[in-house]
């Protein structure tokens, strides 16, 4: 299990409450779609004419929701059990699922208009390879919805522990094991600066602040309500310490080729 791939192949079995949580997954999907539709509207692109790749689709609950808005949708995951479950519960003719590795995508260059990469990078043994693959399969000018956790976040939802993402891996492994939350910490998080280096091939449109300022528009009222103390704190944090914000929401655009 040195590269973490075996852990990812059984991810839905290890985390069934998350991966099979229909309501929670659909809420996540609604946020993603709201941001993508806003980006497409600004770019004057018809969603119904697009082909979307959902990386790390797992049980396909998000993928099925995307199919209501986009022309053709393909989900891919290395977790074969989750993908088989997704195929049995497909429920839409414009959706298909593939078992595969995000670091070596089985698709042609420029095959997709859109890619979703939603809280996936930290799970992948080589996130740089994955981003290169995303860039390869996107058409010129194509967009990627990229949701990424910050290494400097206080709370880690994978293990329900504070500060675990900030620790060096040997200490994090001891911490996770000592608290009975797992054998070791598999994920690899990056800081804001590390994330910007990771997505260097792309042009970034930052939606983090837009979602905080208008949670109703972007289907994020489950996270914060307009006018709430949580929203005021988030706005202040964005202004004073963006580098410490727990999660970033970016639209990545592959530059046009000439």
């Amino acid at each position: 299990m040195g590269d973490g791939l075996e852990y990812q192949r059984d991810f839905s079995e290890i985390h069934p409450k998350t991966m099979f949580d229909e309501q929670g997954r659909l809420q996540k999907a609604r946020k993603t779609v709201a941001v993508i539709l806003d980006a497409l509207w600004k770019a004057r692109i018809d969603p119904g004419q697009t082909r979307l790749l959902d990386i790390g689709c797992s049980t396909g609950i998000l993928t099925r929701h995307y199919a209501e808005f986009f022309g053709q949708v393909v989900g891919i995951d290395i977790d074969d059990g989750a993908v088989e479950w997704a195929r049995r519960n497909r429920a839409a003719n414009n959706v298909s699922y593939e078992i595969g590795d995000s670091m070596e995508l089985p698709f042609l260059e420029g095959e997709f208009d859109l890619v979703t990469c939603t809280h996936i990078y930290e799970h992948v043994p080589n996130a740089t390879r994955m981003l290169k693959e995303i860039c390869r399969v996107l058409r010129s000018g194509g967009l990627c919805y990229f949701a990424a956790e910050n290494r400097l976040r206080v709370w880690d939802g994978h293990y329900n522990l504070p500060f675990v993402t900030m620790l060096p891996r040997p200490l994090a492994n001891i911490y996770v094991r000592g608290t009975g939350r797992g054998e070791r910490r598999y994920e690899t998080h990056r800081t804001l600066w590390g994330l910007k280096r990771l997505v260097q091939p792309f042009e970034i449109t930052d939606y983090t602040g837009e979602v905080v300022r208008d949670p109703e528009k972007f289907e994020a009222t489950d996270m914060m309500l307009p006018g709430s103390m949580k929203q005021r704190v988030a706005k202040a944090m964005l202004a004073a310490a963006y580098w410490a914000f727990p999660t970033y929401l970016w639209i990545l655009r592959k530059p046009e080729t000439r």
Side-chain angles (χ1 to χ4, degrees), residues 10 73 101 131 148 191 200:
D10 297 326
V73 180
D101 188 342
L131 265 292
T191 63
Q200 198 169 19

Side-chain angles (χ1 to χ4, degrees), residues 4-13 78-81 101:
L5 283 178
E6 290 303 321
Y7 172 71
Q8 303 308 327
R9 288 190 177 100
D10 297 326
F11 196 83
S12 61
E13 292 184 20
I78 201 167
D79 183 342
D80 56 352
D101 188 342

Side-chain angles (χ1 to χ4, degrees), residues 41-56:
W41 179 81
K42 290 174 180 175
R44 298 182 179 180
I45 296 172
D46 179 3
Q49 300 301 313
T50 58
R51 183 169 167 82
L52 181 147
L53 174 64
D54 182 25
I55 290 180

